Amino acid sequence: MLGLSSVFAQEWSAAQKEVWNNVNTYWGLMAKGDINGFLDYSEAKETQDGKKSSESGRWTDILLKQGTKWVMIGDHGGSDKKE
């Protein structure tokens, strides 16, 4: 016979709920393929002598909330050039 038991979970703080809301927003954008601006980047350049080039890649920022402000504490990324 299976017994019933109560499962207790921690109540999330307002800060945890805010982070989780942002995670869900990012996942929704990724599911739609709309990640430009926070995971992908592209850049077009032109030198003074008129030579044109472009670069694209991926980037990740690591943020920490201190008080009411989000502070960048790390980042990583770079070009996705095929060599």
Side-chain angles (χ1 to χ4, degrees):
M1 181 170 168
L2 296 175
L4 298 176
S5 64
S6 298
V7 177
F8 295 97
Q10 171 185 339
E11 183 69 28
W12 284 20
S13 69
Q16 289 171 314
K17 290 176 184 177
E18 180 182 3
V19 169
W20 189 246
N21 184 50
N22 289 333
V23 168
N24 280 324
T25 299
Y26 294 152
W27 285 349
L29 291 170
M30 289 174 63
K32 293 189 301 185
D34 185 11
I35 59 174
N36 289 330
F38 72 92
L39 293 177
D40 286 344
Y41 72 90
S42 61
E43 178 179 33
K45 304 175 191 178
E46 185 172 343
T47 62
Q48 289 180 338
D49 60 358
K51 293 182 183 178
K52 296 180 181 180
S53 67
S54 64
E55 181 179 330
S56 63
R58 292 188 170 258
W59 207 266
T60 301
D61 292 331
I62 303 164
L63 305 170
L64 173 69
K65 191 165 187 182
Q66 293 182 338
T68 60
K69 296 181 180 182
W70 286 96
V71 180
M72 183 184 298
I73 60 170
D75 60 8
H76 180 284
S79 173
D80 61 4
K81 289 183 182 177
K82 311 240 184 321
E83 296 183 35

